[in-house]
Amino acid sequence: MTDKEHEGGEGRTGRRKSDKDQSWIPNIIRKRVCTTFVEDSLSNGALCQCGGMRETHGSNATGDYFGAAIVSQWDSSQHSSEYPTDAFGELEFAGAGRRHSHFLRLSCDTPPQIVYSLMTAHWGVPSPNLVVSVVGSGGCEKVKPWVREVLRQGLVKAAQSTGAWIVAGGLREGVGRCVGEAVRDHAAAASCLSQKKVIAVGVAPWGLVHHREQLVNTQGSFPARYYVQNASRDSCCLDNNYQAFLLVDDGSVGRRGGETAFRSMMEDYISHQHSGSIEIPVLCMLISGEAAMLKRVDLSLRKATPWLVLNGSGPAADLICELLDALSAVPMSCTSPPPEGEGSESPSAELRERTRERVKRHFPAEADREKLVDRVRALSIYQNRDLITVFHGEQDSPDDFDTVLLKALVRASKRVSSDASEYTEELKLAVAWNRVDIANSELFNGDIQWRYEDLEDSMTDALINNKPQFVRLFNENGLNILDYLTYQRLEGLYRSLSNSSLAYALLQRHLTERQSLLYVTRLSLQVSRLLWDILGDVCQPFYYGPLGLDQSTSTWRTLKVMALLLGDCLYREQCCVHPWASLFIWAVLQNRSEMAVYFWEMAGESVLSALAGCKILRELSKLESETAAKLSLKELAQKFENLANEVFSECYQSSESRSFNLLIRQSLVWGEATCLEMATAADARLFFSHDGLQSLLSQIWWGDMERSTEVWKLILTFFLPPLIYTNLISFREPEEEGKTEQVPHGQDTDSLDGVDATMFSLTDMMDEDAEDYAAVRVNLKGAPSSNPKRPFVLLRWREFWFAPVTAFLGNVLMYFLFLSLFAYVLLLDFKPPPPHGPSTLEFVLYFWVFTLVCEEFRQVGRIRMKLYIQDMWNKCDITAISLFALGMCCRMFPWSYEFGRAVMAVDYMVFTLRLIHIFAIHKQLGPKIIIVEKMMKDVFFFLFFLAVWLMAYGVANQALLYSYDPRPGWIFRRVFYRPYLHIFGHIPIHEMDGGIECTNNVTLIEAGAEPCTSTYANWLVVILLVIFLLVTNILLVNLLIAMFSYTFSKVQEHSDTHWKFQRYNLIAEYHSRPCLAPPFIILSHLHLFIKRHIRRIPSVKIKHFVLDIRGRQASRLNTWEAIQKENILSAQNKREREKDSERLKRTSVKSDIAPSLTLVHLFMSSTKCQINLTASVNSSVAYRYVIHMI
């Protein structure tokens, strides 16, 4: 390239911000310019041997006649010099309508690491998992059709599936054009996600590119517009189907081969870079080729680069394939690779003669055939044959091309590393390419006996790079997850978290500095701390056991102590106790859907694991700021809730009693959590709406009473306790419970598929105290009760009064009595301040509220304050009690007596609204409460719009009607209160017309007299009033009605689900409450205080509905749950297969009908030449034929 080409691109506009990011390129990247004119003897002195004309060379290049005279051959390294590059940036192909491509003019001596870094770090080209360098014929040589098919169906498809780079010439000629067309066709047929994986990189000589002057701009082009003409013919123009162009400049013009050396260095450099745990494989693909291509093959073989040769594609490729076939039949005289210099042993004379004949046949026009024979010998084919793989394109299918690529690379890797396993290398490549189909068909077909050591590293790569199909494949073919997953590997997986992931950011939030990730112990504690923050009090901290920490130890205090420990710890070599659950948590934290589902399938305790995943994902969605990521987390959370619901449904259909045990048993995997606790924390409303769970709640709600008991019987018995011992209320007898599930004679009562031997009851789990009366128990059939038999009188008394429904009924009745007492005191017995008051009934009211306060303190002591405050009704209780305390204090003093009375009145409203929570248990009223709660949010939005119009109209109305009124109270009433009354029709017309007694005297007005209204702008006031009423009464009110209608229709569909969730909270609350209602509940509180703080008796009702089972019984329950999960998964797989079969059947039917319709069309066309009568008859026959064929 000459200096005059600098002028071509000067003054271009439209540069973007990215040109500043690449302004450093000319300082590092160079171009080459011919600096010595070496005359070409065939051009009569007009041309230099570099290909450039004499006029394009500078005076220094043409002035050295003596030096040029003694030079017979132009050499790039000696006769050209480097200058800062003047062509780089982005390339826009005019009229192509495609995205911009990157391009760079660079010297042939440019270090490849700089170029590779530029492409991956600055151009944004993704790093390859494989590089396929396609070399072959150029110029006008025609490429065979089957070669085009191999490129289109084989190469590009393999590149898409493996994430490969395709490196080719980049010009619209020969093989480079075929590669570009193959990439184009694939992009047109594939999805957008697949298109991004096919990267075509063009490496071409700068001096050979047509219209290269359009690319020149010393400041960079962003973009450079490139015009291409005669695109239908082969030319040396750049191909618009490539994503990047490396234009190698050796100082020559119009000469081929200037890029060969750089391309070889680039391939060698990339082959030493890593993709995961393996080096990036590089494969050269030879298609046809001229005699000069043999030197290119020789250069790559010396660097141990593998080659794939297409047999039958052209001269050079065919010559190499024939030589390989001949070498397999002729014995070699040397088995070791010869050195590059002299002294290497040559093949036999017979082989040399055969080589000479083949060279003559394939290159008849070549003058120096002996040199080609020597070059073929220099190829050392008989030593490097393991690096060459032959693809018989006319015999092999293009669909097998990716397998051929894999085999070629494996052969090369085996040759380079003789002590490496061939199949292990092949497996690593398959994992890197994510080709599980190749691994299934070639590696795990039963012919290879895989060992644990062979799969270990590949398993780690599959986990880190999110390839769940390989994880499943390894687990099914010899990898034992119990031996694989140690705590050291688990911490390594957490270290592999992406810097952009939410889990990584949350872990960093707990670290004082980034380098703390190097400390294993601190990382383990940080993961435990993260899970504790997400899951809360639902379960105990994770990973405390291996670290030798106590579960009750403060996490932050433990972190301070363990942070001082450095070096290896003993626990790192221990195997994870629950490996699948640990991997499940790791995958869920990264929002890896497919992998998380697979780990859930493999982990035990399916229902609880799915609910735990739902909880983690929903907590993460609250912390995620990006909308797309937040939506993805919510979708995966809903998927796990659906899985939990489906598995539990299958369990409930199989065995009702076992499904109840499943809901309340403590999990060793999830820190002694239960399904009910986890579902409550995860807000799994769909799960709570299941009939089986509601059946359990109903059984807990009624205790040992029959669920069909009428409410009036409970109320009557509540006031007449002796009726307990009559037949008015039916109780479930233990022996009757044992008969609820019939077990056929001879059937094993411990059968995993049938009904188990455990039954659900409450009676035998009661102890002598009310709070120790647990919600559920499990008794074996025929086994004696662990508690002593109580007398009938005491037993019936406890069965009635300790049932949650009785506690609820007592609280409701006493709460109505409390409201009646409050209303009576407020209306009839609210005495003046001391010493005249308060009255006796008011003191009773104070004591009643005090018992309510004690109950609230008891509830706060059971759970964290944060969880207590989150409940809306707890907030209501705090508000009511706070207002009552304020009113009680204020009414004791004369100066604040009236204020205290007002506060008491407002507080009565709050206490009364608290009744809504009690009605939540009702099946009809419960869903309506949910709807009202949602509509309240709509009212707030409506009030916002209404307040805007009220202020706008009120201020304008006040200013127009009253010129002066200094009374703030009246101004506030006229600005807000009166316009609000206007909405309901209260319009004071007499004030606007000025028909009231008033005055304009400022002194009287300031004294409190009514100011006169101004009649000047009465017409404007009326107009404003009309507009105000039009907007508020018609627009805003109808908007509110529409919002209510939308909310009602939206919530009505799921109101039952929301109500059932609230029903659980209500049942759990009254199950934990003492049986006595306020104010008598103070007796229960005193009893609890004595037991907990004096006698030190622990409570069994701190956690709701907990069943602790161990040993064989827990193992059988887990096995039974796993069987139900497998049934669900089998049914899902069957449905998927049926869908695929039905789809194939419809396709087959369409394929069968199409030929029939074609035949009918031909038949009907042939009848047109006959007479009209015959045509009519044939048309009717054809119609019947069509109907028959369809």
Side-chain angles (χ1 to χ4, degrees), residues 625-757:
S625 57
E626 297 183 4
T627 304
K630 183 187 293 290
L631 181 60
S632 176
L633 290 168
K634 290 182 178 180
E635 290 177 352
L636 185 56
Q638 187 60 47
K639 182 177 182 178
F640 277 117
E641 184 179 353
N642 294 337
L643 288 174
N645 191 59
E646 292 175 1
V647 175
F648 179 73
S649 178
E650 187 73 14
C651 294
Y652 183 68
Q653 294 177 7
S654 175
S655 173
E656 179 178 346
S657 59
R658 274 183 171 171
S659 63
F660 290 167
N661 295 340
L662 193 67
L663 292 174
I664 59 177
R665 64 97 183 264
Q666 284 184 318
S667 169
L668 297 178
V669 179
W670 293 96
E672 299 185 359
T674 66
C675 289
L676 288 180
E677 292 173 341
M678 192 66 73
T680 306
D683 196 23
R685 299 174 184 265
L686 177 63
F687 182 76
F688 271 103
S689 65
H690 194 277
D691 293 338
L693 196 151
Q694 292 299 313
S695 178
L696 171 64
L697 294 179
S698 297
Q699 192 164 339
I700 295 175
W701 179 247
W702 287 95
D704 283 305
M705 291 184 289
E706 292 289 344
R707 283 180 281 180
S708 59
T709 305
E710 290 84 355
V711 177
W712 67 268
K713 295 182 180 180
L714 291 177
I715 298 177
L716 183 61
T717 307
F718 188 84
F719 290 103
L720 297 176
L723 294 178
I724 298 174
Y725 305 104
T726 66
N727 294 328
L728 182 65
I729 297 179
S730 301
F731 292 87
R732 292 185 292 111
E733 298 295 336
E735 56 272 14
E736 293 180 359
E737 294 176 4
K739 299 178 181 179
T740 55
E741 295 189 19
Q742 299 295 331
V743 181
H745 178 70
Q747 179 179 345
D748 182 13
T749 56
D750 287 337
S751 172
L752 292 175
D753 296 325
V755 177
D756 57 59

Side-chain angles (χ1 to χ4, degrees), residues 759-815:
M759 293 308 303
F760 182 84
S761 182
L762 296 167
T763 306
D764 293 335
M765 292 193 69
M766 302 176 185
D767 61 4
E768 57 187 358
D769 301 304
E771 74 280 8
D772 295 332
Y773 172 69
V776 291
R777 68 173 179 86
V778 177
N779 283 336
L780 296 177
K781 279 187 178 180
S785 176
S786 59
N787 294 329
K789 191 69 176 179
R790 297 188 178 91
F792 174 78
V793 175
L794 180 60
L795 181 64
R796 279 289 181 264
W797 182 268
R798 297 176 64 85
E799 286 177 342
F800 177 78
W801 290 106
F802 291 159
V805 64
T806 308
F808 171 77
L809 181 61
N811 277 271
V812 171
L813 295 177
M814 297 305 294
Y815 198 79

Side-chain angles (χ1 to χ4, degrees), residues 134 149 195 239 319 356 511 521 576 867 1011 1041 1130:
V134 183
E149 190 68 17
Q195 291 180 28
D239 195 327
L319 173 61
R356 185 181 293 107
L511 295 173
T521 304
C576 285
L867 299 177
I1041 296 173
S1130 300

Side-chain angles (χ1 to χ4, degrees), residues 329-382:
V330 177
M332 298 295 109
S333 60
C334 181
T335 59
S336 60
E340 296 183 10
E342 297 180 359
S344 60
E345 300 183 18
S346 60
S348 64
E350 181 183 359
L351 177 60
R352 185 177 182 86
E353 183 61 29
R354 290 185 181 183
T355 303
R356 185 181 293 107
E357 293 176 358
R358 288 177 173 84
V359 170
K360 181 179 180 180
R361 184 169 67 254
H362 289 289
F363 302 106
E366 188 67 28
D368 194 354
R369 295 194 185 97
E370 289 298 324
K371 185 176 180 181
L372 281 182
V373 173
D374 293 337
R375 183 170 295 170
V376 172
R377 180 181 64 84
L379 287 173
S380 303
I381 294 178
Y382 57 96

Side-chain angles (χ1 to χ4, degrees), residues 60 107 126 173 265 301 342 416 452 635 732 895 973 976 983 1002 1140 1161:
N60 294 333
S107 171
E173 62 171 8
M265 290 190 302
L301 286 177
E342 297 180 359
V416 174
Y452 166 76
E635 290 177 352
R732 292 185 292 111
W895 56 272
R973 291 180 61 184
F976 292 101
I983 300 176
V1002 176
D1140 296 338
H1161 176 72

Side-chain angles (χ1 to χ4, degrees), residues 473-492:
L473 185 66
F474 296 150
N475 183 58
E476 295 172 352
N477 290 272
L479 188 140
N480 189 350
I481 195 66
L482 294 175
D483 297 331
Y484 169 78
L485 192 64
T486 61
Y487 288 103
Q488 180 178 0
R489 277 205 178 92
L490 183 61
E491 289 171 344

Side-chain angles (χ1 to χ4, degrees), residues 159-307:
Q160 181 268 329
S161 62
T162 59
W165 285 4
I166 301 178
V167 180
L171 302 179
R172 299 186 62 84
E173 62 171 8
V175 176
R177 178 167 186 164
C178 295
V179 171
E181 292 174 349
V183 173
R184 178 200 62 196
D185 296 342
H186 177 270
S191 64
C192 295
L193 184 61
S194 298
Q195 291 180 28
K196 296 179 181 178
K197 296 183 180 180
V198 181
I199 305 296
V201 180
V203 181
W206 166 262
L208 197 62
V209 178
H210 286 186
H211 309 297
R212 56 188 176 276
E213 65 277 358
Q214 301 175 10
L215 310 179
V216 177
N217 188 337
T218 56
Q219 303 300 321
S221 302
F222 302 93
R225 294 184 61 85
Y226 188 74
Y227 296 89
V228 180
Q229 298 178 353
N230 298 327
S232 60
R233 299 176 55 188
D234 283 352
S235 64
C236 291
C237 297
L238 297 178
D239 195 327
N240 62 344
N241 297 304
Y242 287 76
Q243 282 74 34
F245 295 93
L246 300 178
L247 308 178
V248 183
D249 188 4
D250 65 344
S252 64
V253 177
R255 293 175 53 180
R256 299 182 182 274
E259 83 288 359
T260 303
F262 172 79
R263 185 168 175 177
S264 179
M265 290 190 302
M266 186 74 174
E267 295 165 357
D268 182 65
Y269 173 78
I270 295 178
S271 67
H272 291 85
Q273 306 306 304
H274 283 77
S275 175
S277 62
I278 64 173
E279 293 182 343
I280 299 175
V282 176
L283 177 69
C284 294
M285 180 177 174
L286 177 59
I287 300 176
S288 184
E290 302 296 338
M293 190 56 61
L294 298 176
K295 182 179 179 180
R296 169 75 167 88
V297 176
D298 183 27
L299 182 63
S300 295
L301 286 177
R302 293 179 183 276
K303 296 180 180 180
T305 302
W307 278 81

